[in-house]
Amino acid sequence: ANTGAFEVGDRVILQTKIDGSNAQLAWEDGELKAFSRKNELNMNNNLRGFWNFVQTLDKEKFRDLGNRCLYGEWLVQHTIKYFPESYNKWYVYDMYDKDTERWLSQDIVKEFAETHGLIYVYTYYDGPFISWEHVKSFFNQPIYGDKAEGVIVKNMTKLNDPDNRNPFLTVQFHHGV
């Protein structure tokens, strides 16, 4: 339904879709805080170990997160089966700036993840949008297990475009999932 937001030549990034739990980091009140999709996490509500993972991070190293939120997928068992070594890891995929109310470029997200020793989610392709058939060509290329859930398609050309009512991101699910 949202494919009209993607035009031939737009810069797109195709990433593997991971079937885990949405988890985020934020620097608030001088602390590194962990969140699920809807709640701040703590020792008792730890999103199957994500809060515990955050406790192992060098918090001072994350001061430069500032007023931005870092999003990723905490890989715990759901529907899709992954390789055992892929579980209980955080795969970073987005960053949001609360001051400007804008999503940041994947170049910034990837650099932040790498600089801070985090895993940036596997990227199949970064280049001009060719076609939906091209996107589908990545469906049978699982990275973290025997199957992939799908492919995330991000349009960097239309990221935060106020004149475009269509989303800059869509998920193409593998037809076999």
Side-chain angles (χ1 to χ4, degrees):
N2 297 314
T3 58
F6 297 82
E7 299 176 45
V8 172
D10 286 349
R11 178 182 174 214
V12 295
I13 294 180
L14 309 181
Q15 296 173 327
T16 188
K17 169 77 173 84
I18 300 175
D19 181 31
S21 295
N22 181 287
Q24 65 174 290
L25 285 182
W27 186 264
E28 293 182 356
D29 304 321
E31 293 181 46
L32 187 62
K33 296 187 178 183
F35 296 87
S36 66
R37 186 180 304 274
K38 297 181 181 180
N39 300 305
E40 183 174 348
L41 301 175
N42 57 47
M43 186 183 320
N44 298 318
N45 178 20
N46 62 37
L47 192 63
R48 295 173 66 185
F50 181 69
W51 181 85
N52 307 75
F53 163 75
V54 172
Q55 302 315 300
T56 69
L57 299 175
D58 180 355
K59 291 163 188 53
E60 290 304 310
K61 192 175 172 183
F62 285 85
R63 282 185 175 275
D64 62 343
L65 188 56
N67 207 19
R68 300 174 294 181
C69 296
L70 188 62
Y71 292 85
E73 200 75 5
W74 178 246
L75 189 52
V76 290
Q77 193 167 354
H78 281 278
T79 306
I80 305 294
K81 302 290 185 225
Y82 293 97
F83 300 132
E85 63 272 14
S86 299
Y87 286 108
N88 299 309
K89 293 182 180 173
W90 191 43
Y91 300 87
V92 173
Y93 58 75
D94 269 326
M95 186 181 280
Y96 183 77
D97 187 313
K98 293 188 280 188
D99 290 331
T100 63
E101 298 181 351
R102 298 174 74 81
W103 293 98
L104 300 180
S105 165
Q106 288 297 295
D107 299 326
I108 294 170
V109 179
K110 182 178 182 182
E111 180 182 348
F112 190 92
E114 291 173 351
T115 300
H116 293 77
L118 302 171
I119 302 168
Y120 180 68
V121 70
Y122 186 82
T123 300
Y124 294 114
Y125 175 80
D126 180 349
F129 180 75
I130 298 168
S131 70
W132 290 107
E133 287 304 314
H134 178 246
V135 172
K136 290 177 186 177
S137 74
F138 296 97
F139 280 176
N140 293 315
Q141 296 182 29
I143 301 303
Y144 303 115
D146 292 330
K147 285 186 173 182
E149 185 179 12
V151 176
I152 304 283
V153 186
K154 297 178 180 179
N155 190 331
M156 294 294 97
T157 301
K158 296 190 173 116
L159 182 68
N160 301 305
D161 182 350
D163 297 325
N164 188 355
R165 304 192 101 205
N166 292 312
F168 67 89
L169 175 137
T170 188
V171 179
Q172 298 296 306
F173 289 98
H174 184 281
H175 64 304
V177 176

